[in-house]
Amino acid sequence: MNEEKRIVIGLTGSFGAGCSEAVSFLETQEFRKYSLSRDILREAWFEKSKVQLTDLEETIETRRKWQDAGDALRKEEGLSTLVDRALKKIARDDSQKKGANHSPLVIDSIRNPGEVEALRQTFSDFYLVAVSASQEQRMKRYDRIYKGQQKAFLVDDARDSGADELPWGQHVQMCVDISDVLVSNEQEWLYPYVKDEFYQKIYQIVELMRKPGSRRPTNDEYFMSLAYGASLRSSCWKRKVGAVIVREYASAPGGHGSYVLASGYNEVPPGIMSCAQRAGSGNPKFCVKDEEANNMLKESWKYCPKCTEALKGAAERFALFRCDKCKTPLVDFIPSKLHDLCIALHAEESAILQASRLGSVSLEGSVLYTTTFPCLLCAKMIILLGISRIVFAEPYPDLRAIRLLEEAKVPTKQFEGVKARAYHALYEIQFLKEGKQ
């Protein structure tokens, strides 16, 4: 059962993104803070092992000990164990002071989707805020620990993001994907005004949570909500992607300044059976691409391309197989990751083809909003058609697509603002909250 309504903000993001700075600001706004790593994990691990975890930021080794400790607790006690412990602490703190159960909360260091789900089930006004910054910028901020050891940083960052991690591991990128609000913290804090700008972003989010409907959505928020809405039409169980292509123009006073040309989502062409239809009810996670990859490649890989270990079980299930020694998915060694075997059209591809069916619609100078960064195939189409810029919500690890778009001077920007999941909750005016009937 949900508690009486109170604003609860959860913070997630890769280390070095700036979550701790967001916590510092929220404390000035009378939020009570709880950290799943610094507070809850430290106490839980000491209670369990009688071993005191040292400070998170001392060395590379201590950071990895904290990662190991969190994984071990989630594996043994459940994905929500740190949140469960935090909720008990919150309840104790609430009981010690009159009116404390109405004070807003900020819960930091959320690193697993199980933790997000537990908080959403507990608090009706819970919002997950993801703070983002580029890998390059975060590496600079953590140079005091890694001291130029780029490889060590990349290893820890991959583990933190959830790349190749088991369910009880850290899955920060998945948490960012399911967040309610995205905030960018890309600039270096060389001058005080940069920090003030970041704080102002957090303040505006808090004000919107306190007074839903107090401002209109931005253009980016509006069009990205349409892209997320389109993604729900996809039947793909692995990743649902949506895209809209928008024409911008010089607007009259009060005008919107842009309109939608086309939209799309990842799906098989009309008349073609989807993966779910081909599998039937007995195998809801059947994937044609994985099946084709398995059939094509299971006999040709005998040794791991990374560590040269003999692949003992690869012949049974290549597409899902990881090396026993280095745990690397073999499909990562195939440049295209076998996207050409997928029978679905990509969301961007579908939107482009929809525009072409209209006949005379040019996409020259238009803007693409997509829930996931385009792949190489879609990047080539975007460049050819003269789409002027891309706004994306979720990154996608296709370095070749990134480089190609950079070479063609097509700017890309990660979306910032309220995402579709919280769009109506934060932008519809809540009359009942204000006592109006």
Side-chain angles (χ1 to χ4, degrees), residues 1-9 87 105 116-128 180 209 212 421-422 425-426 430 433:
M1 181 181 293
N2 286 344
E3 286 193 1
E4 186 172 352
K5 286 191 176 182
R6 71 198 301 183
I7 295 175
V8 181
I9 293 178
L87 293 175
L105 308 174
V116 180
E117 183 61 27
L119 288 165
R120 282 180 172 156
Q121 289 180 1
T122 304
F123 300 105
S124 57
D125 278 6
F126 171 78
Y127 297 99
L128 182 62
D180 299 300
M209 292 173 181
R421 194 181 188 285
L426 291 176
Q430 305 293 308
K433 284 187 177 180

Side-chain angles (χ1 to χ4, degrees), residues 329-401:
L330 299 188
V331 74
D332 285 355
F333 293 98
I334 301 172
S336 69
K337 293 195 176 182
L338 302 175
H339 287 318
D340 54 324
L341 298 179
C342 180
I343 58 175
L345 294 167
H346 288 191
E348 304 93 326
E349 191 178 13
S350 180
I352 289 167
L353 292 173
Q354 184 187 95
S356 72
R357 294 185 70 178
L358 298 176
S360 60
V361 177
S362 170
L363 301 184
E364 186 82 31
S366 62
V367 181
L368 172 69
Y369 287 85
T370 177
T371 60
T372 303
F373 194 93
C375 69
L376 181 64
L377 171 67
C378 293
K380 290 186 285 187
M381 294 184 187
I382 289 164
I383 294 166
L384 176 65
L385 293 167
I387 292 174
S388 63
R389 64 186 179 92
I390 300 167
V391 181
F392 67 95
E394 301 165 16
Y396 190 76
D398 193 335
L399 294 177
R400 295 173 306 150

Side-chain angles (χ1 to χ4, degrees), residues 225-236 239-243 264-266 347 371:
S225 75
L226 296 181
Y228 271 106
S231 74
L232 298 180
R233 288 282 298 155
S234 171
S235 65
C236 180
R239 184 188 290 266
K240 298 180 185 294
V241 183
Y265 51 93
N266 57 319
T371 60

Side-chain angles (χ1 to χ4, degrees), residues 51-346:
V51 174
Q52 183 67 57
L53 289 171
T54 54
D55 186 70
L56 178 65
E57 296 181 354
E58 282 186 353
T59 65
I60 297 173
E61 289 71 24
T62 54
R63 165 170 286 283
R64 291 173 180 174
K65 285 180 182 178
W66 279 71
Q67 290 177 319
D68 292 341
D71 290 1
L73 278 171
R74 282 188 291 266
K75 180 179 181 181
E76 184 171 336
E77 300 180 3
L79 301 185
S80 65
T81 182
L82 295 178
V83 166
D84 296 339
R85 290 168 180 268
L87 293 175
K88 290 177 182 177
K89 188 171 184 178
I90 290 168
R92 288 197 300 270
D93 293 345
D94 283 348
S95 66
Q96 292 173 2
K97 187 175 180 182
K98 186 177 180 180
N101 61 330
H102 296 292
S103 62
L105 308 174
V106 55
I107 301 171
D108 187 21
S109 302
I110 295 173
R111 320 196 83 72
N112 188 284
E115 296 163 352
V116 180
E117 183 61 27
L119 288 165
R120 282 180 172 156
Q121 289 180 1
T122 304
F123 300 105
S124 57
D125 278 6
F126 171 78
Y127 297 99
L128 182 62
V129 177
V131 182
S132 70
S134 67
Q135 196 174 64
E136 179 182 7
Q137 187 62 261
R138 293 186 292 106
M139 199 179 303
K140 289 179 183 177
R141 292 170 185 167
Y142 265 73
D143 191 57
R144 66 186 185 279
I145 296 175
Y146 289 91
K147 298 180 175 31
Q149 298 179 61
Q150 183 180 22
K151 185 176 180 181
F153 176 90
L154 294 176
V155 167
D156 290 352
D157 194 41
R159 178 179 179 181
D160 188 61
S161 71
D164 307 326
E165 288 295 300
L166 293 165
W168 51 80
Q170 298 177 108
H171 290 275
V172 170
Q173 187 55 55
M174 197 178 296
C175 292
V176 172
D177 292 348
I178 62 174
S179 65
D180 299 300
V181 182
L182 280 173
V183 179
S184 174
N185 182 29
E186 184 61 24
Q187 288 184 280
E188 290 189 57
W189 289 11
L190 298 177
Y191 302 100
Y193 81 89
V194 178
K195 182 180 288 191
D196 290 342
E197 287 179 352
F198 177 67
Y199 287 166
Q200 183 63 24
K201 292 178 184 179
I202 304 297
Y203 176 76
Q204 289 174 353
I205 291 166
V206 172
E207 283 299 288
L208 193 58
M209 292 173 181
R210 287 171 174 161
K211 298 179 180 179
S214 57
R215 67 172 173 88
R216 292 197 306 166
T218 65
N219 263 16
D220 281 0
E221 288 171 330
Y222 169 57
F223 290 121
M224 192 58 76
S225 75
L226 296 181
Y228 271 106
S231 74
L232 298 180
R233 288 282 298 155
S234 171
S235 65
C236 180
W237 66 269
K238 283 188 168 182
R239 184 188 290 266
K240 298 180 185 294
V241 183
V244 297
I245 301 174
V246 173
R247 169 78 67 219
E248 294 181 323
Y249 62 93
S251 61
H256 292 292
S258 47
Y259 57 90
V260 174
L261 292 174
S263 64
Y265 51 93
N266 57 319
E267 189 55 83
V268 296
I272 304 297
M273 292 177 66
S274 68
C275 292
Q277 290 171 327
R278 291 168 191 266
S281 59
N283 187 9
K285 293 188 176 182
F286 175 79
C287 175
V288 168
K289 184 184 79 172
D290 285 353
E291 193 69 16
E292 290 290 332
N294 188 60
N295 293 336
M296 288 175 59
L297 302 170
K298 65 181 179 180
E299 297 299 336
S300 59
W301 291 68
K302 304 299 182 185
Y303 301 94
C304 175
K306 183 175 182 179
C307 69
T308 70
E309 182 80 1
L311 301 176
K312 299 175 183 177
E316 297 177 8
R317 201 71 189 159
F318 172 85
L320 305 178
F321 183 76
R322 297 167 185 252
C323 173
D324 287 331
K325 183 177 180 181
C326 67
K327 307 301 182 184
T328 304
L330 299 188
V331 74
D332 285 355
F333 293 98
I334 301 172
S336 69
K337 293 195 176 182
L338 302 175
H339 287 318
D340 54 324
L341 298 179
C342 180
I343 58 175
L345 294 167
H346 288 191

